[in-house]
Amino acid sequence: MIPSPIWGISGFRLLPTATWRAIRAQELDRADNACEVCGRAQSKGLICHEVWDHRIVDGQGIATLAALRMQCRPCDEVTHYGLAESRGRGPRARARLAQLNGMGPEMASAVIEVMYERHATLSSVRRWTVRIAPALVERHPDLRAIEQVVEG
């Protein structure tokens, strides 16, 4: 879950539409038009998901865009569980989490509880530095435009 002080910071939201579409097209080719979580192939409808690493160092947050991953909608709901829950699709996302990881419903609920606790901890940090992983900048230099410091 994304720490609340940096909601809305993403290539999808901050880059020009044409730039993001070009990045997505490259990632779609790289993934061979398949979900990189479950392997399901599909010609359209895959989401270019931004994989972020969130850390707290010396009381400040560091959010690093570490990778881009193509995901089908059901897998994307798992990675955006809080959003799925707010839209009434939490049970479906929870079931998908359990299915993908070979766990029962109780374990899936425990994982989600830990996820919410981590979100609360990360969201308590007010100053965030947003970075892009060097390997990702090498593939997509335009992503550097979203690097910034956020005071929440």
Side-chain angles (χ1 to χ4, degrees):
M1 297 175 100
I2 300 164
S4 55
I6 55 174
W7 282 349
I9 305 238
S10 75
F12 172 75
R13 292 189 177 178
L14 298 176
L15 293 175
T17 301
T19 301
W20 181 252
R21 284 184 179 158
I23 290 170
R24 183 188 177 281
Q26 289 174 344
E27 292 298 315
L28 193 56
D29 282 346
R30 183 192 54 73
D32 292 327
N33 294 323
C35 175
E36 294 181 273
V37 178
C38 70
R40 184 172 132 200
Q42 56 188 84
S43 59
K44 57 183 174 177
L46 289 172
I47 296 159
C48 187
H49 174 73
E50 298 174 28
V51 180
W52 290 89
D53 175 52
H54 301 103
R55 296 174 189 255
I56 301 171
V57 178
D58 297 328
Q60 297 183 26
I62 299 173
T64 304
L65 180 55
L68 296 173
R69 181 175 61 213
M70 298 309 297
Q71 298 181 169
C72 64
R73 292 200 185 281
C75 288
D76 197 60
E77 280 192 331
V78 173
T79 58
H80 294 285
Y81 183 82
L83 182 60
E85 183 75 33
S86 73
R87 293 180 173 171
R89 295 192 299 262
R92 182 169 74 185
R94 180 176 303 191
R96 182 72 168 185
L97 171 69
Q99 174 195 21
L100 289 170
N101 293 285
M103 61 177 73
E106 297 82 19
M107 180 60 78
S109 293
V111 167
I112 290 166
E113 184 176 325
V114 169
M115 187 176 57
Y116 273 113
E117 289 169 3
R118 176 156 169 76
H119 176 260
T121 299
L122 292 172
S123 293
S124 70
V125 175
R126 294 288 151 223
R127 187 172 202 277
W128 285 85
T129 300
V130 177
R131 299 178 177 160
I132 312 302
L136 205 48
V137 169
E138 190 173 310
R139 263 195 354 254
H140 305 293
D142 289 328
L143 286 171
R144 193 178 297 271
I146 68 172
E147 292 183 319
Q148 59 187 286
V149 174
V150 176
E151 300 282 345

